Amino acid sequence: MASVKFFLRERNGGLQPGLLYVRVIHERKTSTIKTGISVFDHEWDADRQMIVGDRHEIAGARLRAVAKRVESIIAVLEKSDGGFTAAEVAERYRDVDAVAGIVTYGLELSRENRRCGNMSASDRLKYTMLRFQEFLASDDAAGENSAMGVADIHFDEMDSRLIRRYEAYLRGEGMCPNSTSYYIRNLRSVYNMAVDSGLARPRNLFRQVFTGIAKTAKRAIPLDAIRRMKRLRLRPDSNESLARDMFLFSFYTRGMSIVDMAFLRKSDLRNGVLTYRRRKTSQLLTIKWEPAMQRIVDRCSIKESKYLLPLIRVADKDARKQYISASHTLNRCLKRIGLKVGLKEPLTMYVARHAWASIARESDVPVSVISQGMGHDSETTTLIYLANLDRGRLDDANRSIIGRIES
């Protein structure tokens, strides 16, 4: 029967935190395992094999998780017919250690998605794990007493209290409930994938935090505000002028998202009809081309580019990075434009989508089609309604809406 015992190796005569190790003894042979847990001498009770003092809660949970993993490895090896050594226990622990951290695992999933060409999923996983990593290194991870100070955490060390602290940390960063829910849902997804891969135990760690989608205030602006924006005097070659044009183009094209705008190709416009597939849902949409749209393209399109709009400018560079950078620039400029025309809420590209839905409703487009100004709890329901709209009627309504701006 193997025995397991923790011991502390002091550093600098106890002036610095020492490192806790596991000593595994089996058949008179010994092997040691580094736990990665640092404590001062006065925080370690060797007789009771436990951490005491201010750090006992989170560090103690980590210590128990390490013990549980070592004991689990020993239990598996004891069932094998060929026997085992203390060195094999340490070797198996280190193999598990390489993949058991949720940040390490999530970042590897991100890289795998990138290799498969799924850039959106790759970025979502990357920024989710980096955000969680920032939390782990903060004081909030360990509560009020001390910082956890780690870059990763093993699946067994996670508990519902840690997830609640993470939610509080995100809210402390000024995030709204939908933003905190976004990061927590993504973290839950990574944990569940680890469960499916056999790296983590199935546990309901996220039941005490908000993972839904809260209803938000409509972000539409009135028709008069868009008119004031259109009439605003801006330097023709400025970023603000481009931002205004891109906002109006989104509005004129029934609230087209900026990512779809960025990847529009000149070949998507044929015989007076713009046809594109939404990147978010893969739905194919067609829009009758209007003179107001053409005027924007005439002002800003790059002659040598295959793209209709100037959001991706350099052919041999990462198109996604260029679109993201352009998106940030446009939204910064729109916020300044919003202030100039007297808007109280921040103006962003997304406002164009809400504005078109709201004004279309005022123009007698059926509520069943516009779906309460894009107010559904899920976009899927809205898309079902949009798919049933008679295209000619929608084109007429869109022409009427554009006319109210251009007049």
Side-chain angles (χ1 to χ4, degrees):
M1 180 66 182
S3 66
V4 178
K5 191 172 184 178
F6 290 95
F7 68 95
L8 179 67
R9 284 183 180 171
E10 291 185 352
R11 296 176 62 194
N12 197 16
L15 297 177
Q16 290 180 292
L19 299 176
L20 280 171
Y21 287 77
V22 181
R23 180 180 288 118
V24 180
I25 303 174
H26 184 58
E27 295 181 345
R28 299 184 180 181
K29 296 292 182 68
T30 301
S31 187
T32 59
I33 299 170
K34 185 178 179 180
T35 69
I37 303 171
S38 300
V39 295
F40 285 102
D41 180 62
H42 67 273
E43 296 176 310
W44 175 241
D45 188 328
D47 293 334
R48 293 190 293 168
Q49 290 280 284
M50 62 183 295
I51 296 169
V52 297
D54 291 340
R55 289 165 54 85
H56 75 280
E57 186 176 341
I58 191 69
R62 296 185 65 200
L63 191 70
R64 290 189 296 274
V66 170
K68 188 179 297 183
R69 289 173 56 210
V70 174
E71 290 166 1
S72 176
I73 292 169
I74 292 172
V76 171
L77 290 172
E78 284 179 339
K79 293 178 182 178
S80 62
D81 297 332
F84 67 95
T85 65
E88 284 182 277
V89 176
E91 183 179 354
R92 287 207 178 191
Y93 182 96
R94 283 189 283 269
D95 286 342
V96 175
D97 188 66
V99 296
I102 189 169
V103 174
T104 302
Y105 178 69
L107 291 176
E108 178 54 35
L109 289 176
S110 170
R111 287 188 287 271
E112 180 62 27
N113 273 280
R114 184 164 291 275
R115 286 191 290 268
C116 295
N118 193 345
M119 301 304 188
S120 178
S122 175
D123 287 347
R124 182 177 69 251
L125 288 166
K126 176 183 176 182
Y127 294 121
T128 293
M129 301 326 298
L130 292 179
R131 176 71 70 174
F132 189 61
Q133 191 175 52
E134 289 175 1
F135 160 71
L136 291 177
S138 72
D139 292 341
D140 301 77
E144 297 178 357
N145 295 320
S146 63
M148 192 169 187
V150 296
D152 205 349
I153 185 171
H154 296 291
F155 296 106
D156 283 344
E157 300 174 67
M158 297 175 65
D159 58 25
S160 58
R161 290 178 299 176
L162 183 72
I163 303 304
R164 290 200 305 272
R165 288 186 186 130
Y166 183 43
E167 182 182 50
Y169 169 81
L170 294 175
R171 288 182 177 174
E173 294 285 296
M175 290 189 186
C176 67
N178 280 341
S179 295
T180 64
S181 175
Y182 170 82
Y183 283 107
I184 293 172
R185 289 199 313 272
N186 288 335
L187 185 67
R188 181 180 62 184
S189 177
V190 172
Y191 187 90
N192 289 339
M193 284 187 278
V195 171
D196 292 341
S197 301
L199 298 174
R201 295 179 289 121
R203 292 182 294 159
N204 192 0
L205 304 179
F206 301 86
R207 65 186 182 278
Q208 297 176 339
V209 294
F210 178 67
T211 56
I213 300 175
K215 289 187 177 181
T216 57
K218 293 179 182 178
R219 289 183 256 186
I221 57 175
L223 187 69
D224 183 59
I226 301 177
R227 286 185 178 136
R228 292 200 305 273
M229 184 194 314
K230 187 177 184 301
R231 295 166 184 165
L232 194 65
R233 290 189 177 183
L234 299 172
R235 199 175 75 244
D237 59 346
S238 66
N239 284 335
E240 286 189 358
S241 179
L242 177 63
R244 176 175 60 185
D245 276 343
M246 294 302 97
F247 182 95
L248 290 172
F249 187 89
S250 174
F251 181 82
Y252 293 162
T253 53
R254 308 198 308 252
M256 187 185 297
S257 70
I258 187 169
V259 62
D260 292 328
M261 288 170 54
F263 288 93
L264 283 177
R265 296 170 182 260
K266 292 175 180 176
S267 58
D268 293 332
L269 177 59
R270 293 182 180 179
N271 301 320
V273 177
L274 181 66
T275 304
Y276 73 101
R277 192 173 294 278
R278 286 204 68 199
R279 287 184 165 249
K280 185 174 183 179
T281 62
S282 295
Q283 186 191 28
L284 188 66
L285 298 177
T286 59
I287 301 174
K288 187 177 186 303
W289 195 247
E290 299 290 345
M293 304 172 191
Q294 185 62 49
R295 285 193 288 272
I296 291 174
V297 170
D298 290 341
R299 279 197 297 269
C300 61
S301 183
I302 299 173
K303 185 177 180 180
E304 301 80 11
S305 176
K306 64 182 178 182
Y307 296 109
L308 189 65
L309 300 171
L311 302 179
I312 300 173
R313 293 175 172 271
V314 185
D316 58 348
K317 289 189 176 181
D318 189 320
R320 180 172 174 79
K321 287 184 178 178
Q322 291 185 68
Y323 133 69
I324 292 173
S325 176
S327 175
H328 292 327
T329 300
L330 294 181
N331 282 327
R332 282 196 299 270
C333 291
L334 286 174
K335 287 177 182 177
R336 293 197 293 269
I337 291 172
L339 293 174
K340 290 179 180 180
V341 297
L343 295 179
K344 294 181 180 179
E345 298 297 326
L347 183 65
T348 67
M349 287 295 298
Y350 194 64
V351 172
R353 183 172 179 82
H354 280 269
W356 186 88
S358 177
I359 296 170
R361 184 179 177 186
E362 295 172 4
S363 301
D364 295 327
V365 176
V367 175
S368 59
V369 178
I370 302 303
S371 189
Q372 296 294 337
M374 304 297 186
H376 282 302
D377 289 335
S378 74
E379 187 175 342
T380 303
T381 308
T382 303
L383 291 172
I384 291 172
Y385 283 110
L386 286 175
N388 292 330
L389 180 66
D390 176 75
R391 182 182 144 195
R393 186 173 184 180
L394 182 54
D395 288 338
D396 290 343
N398 197 38
R399 186 182 301 109
S400 172
I401 293 167
I402 293 174
R404 293 172 69 184
I405 300 296
E406 292 289 311
S407 61

